[in-house]
Amino acid sequence: MGGARLRGEVTVTGAKNSVLKLMAAALLAPGRTVLTDVPHILDVEIMAELLRRLGCDVSHDSGGATVAIDVPERLEHRADYDLVRRMRASITVLGPLLARCGVVDVALPGGDNIGSRGLDMHIAGLQRLGASVTSEHGYLIAHAEAGLRGASIWLDFPSVGATETLLMAASLAQGRTVIDNAAREPEIVDICSMLTEMGADISGAGSSTLEINGVEVLRPVEHATVPDRIVAGTWAVAAVMTRGDITVRGARPEHLDIALDKLVTAGAQVTMVEDGFRVTMDARPTAVDIVTLPYPGFPTDLQPQFIALNAIAEGAALVTENLFEARFRFVHELVRLGADVQTEGHHALVRGRTTLSGAPVEATDIRAGAGLVLAGLVAEGETTVHEVHHIDRGYAGFVEDLKRLGADVRRTGAPT
Ligand code: UD1
């Protein structure tokens, strides 16, 4: 039910987009890796299942925030379609399995409905490291029985996934690898820290050039997951849209510089608190243009939430999506709530409306789902968001947190 002004505190946990890669990185070292600040989300369950199939023992404490992964000396090297189909991030095991086993078969992914999301840069990079890569019967098969060798790699685009695959593979390669035009996301910095704690020799984390001197073995470690900047950013937008007052704890505002600055432009007050930030808003927001780009640019994973914000803002805004072509699919759902959004290629023109009207809508991916819930919070009457299993993939305890902040929301049907 729309209309509540959200007020109070929320605490964010570790980032989905980091923890899945940290779980894959555990494969690089036999023994027990322990990850803390793990979010209780479906994708972590899927990754745990995948690691078990590879021969690991994965256990978690009662709340799920600490996950222990016991990695055997000998790993299986196949990631089956049934899991990869459910979660594209399963392909993160490609790099570590190739480095550890000298061979890997990973099903080609489906995953989010947000565009083609190729693997060409992962493949070309692994080939530079000496792997032979083929694709047969829906599987990507890579061989490097004699081991991987360090190389210079230039990425066509600072792909997060390709940077991670190559970082993990190069950590156990012979000699020096340089990855140019590497991704700079906080999640990349996080995996670099974990790999370094494991004994890898990596420099340049957070810059566009990563240098990795391969080592023979890595050791298991205990590592805390970086906070989820996208979940934190979603709460910030919720505060602005509902003219509320939300303190987001456990967050790193420096990872959200552009997004928070945009909210200030929209009229919000953003203040830093000891372990996070506070967003307050007491008027209708002003529309803000955004252009998604690799970090430190505006994150594509906050684009749907900002379209939702612009849909109820004063004025019009141009939203440009440069990463995932199909991300505007969710706009059709937002229009069902009365939003005025026109898309043309990778641009969306959003003309703010004073009201939206509640209706049944369907989540098309994780962030679209979050954007639709935010729209529902301000729409008149009742909004039902279907296919919320998408939201479960990235937002732990979303409904409970919303309720605690004063939203009139309920979940029908059990989490999957
Ligand atoms: C990760 C995040 C996702 C986020 C995205 C961009 C995870 C699990 N997911 O996705 O939430 O939206 O970063 O910040 O961490 N591309 C190619 N060839 C490749 C690799 C990528 O063409 O070999 C293209 C993709 O199609 C896409 C763009 O590059 O258009 C960005 O992809 P990438 O940065 O790799 O994103 P992901 O790692 O898939």
Side-chain angles (χ1 to χ4, degrees), residues 17 21 88 117-121 159-161 300-301 323-324:
N17 284 355
K21 328 305 173 61
R88 186 179 195 276
R117 307 183 84 176
L119 290 175
D120 52 323
M121 286 181 264
S159 153
V160 173
T300 176
D301 288 352
L323 278 91
F324 296 114

Side-chain angles (χ1 to χ4, degrees), residues 16-18 20-21 43 88-89 91-92 112 114-123 157-164 183 185 187 229-230 293-295 299-301 322-325 327 366-367 393:
K16 169 185 94 73
N17 284 355
S18 200
L20 302 173
K21 328 305 173 61
D43 277 15
R88 186 179 195 276
I91 56 141
T92 333
D112 271 356
I114 53 171
S116 62
R117 307 183 84 176
L119 290 175
D120 52 323
M121 286 181 264
H122 300 245
I123 295 168
F157 176 89
S159 153
V160 173
T163 304
E164 288 160 344
E185 271 70 2
E187 294 76 23
R229 64 194 163 99
I230 304 301
L293 282 172
Y295 192 84
T300 176
D301 288 352
N322 287 317
L323 278 91
F324 296 114
E325 66 233 34
R327 210 152 215 175
I366 307 177
R367 311 304 171 188
R393 293 187 43 208

Side-chain angles (χ1 to χ4, degrees), residues 5 7 239-240 242-244 267-269 280-285:
R5 298 175 76 162
R7 288 170 191 283
V240 176
T242 64
R243 303 188 197 182
Q269 271 192 310
T280 48
M281 184 74 173
D282 49 19
R284 185 178 175 200

Side-chain angles (χ1 to χ4, degrees), residues 157-174:
F157 176 89
S159 153
V160 173
T163 304
E164 288 160 344
T165 293
L166 300 173
L167 262 171
M168 289 190 272
S171 291
L172 285 179
Q174 293 162 39

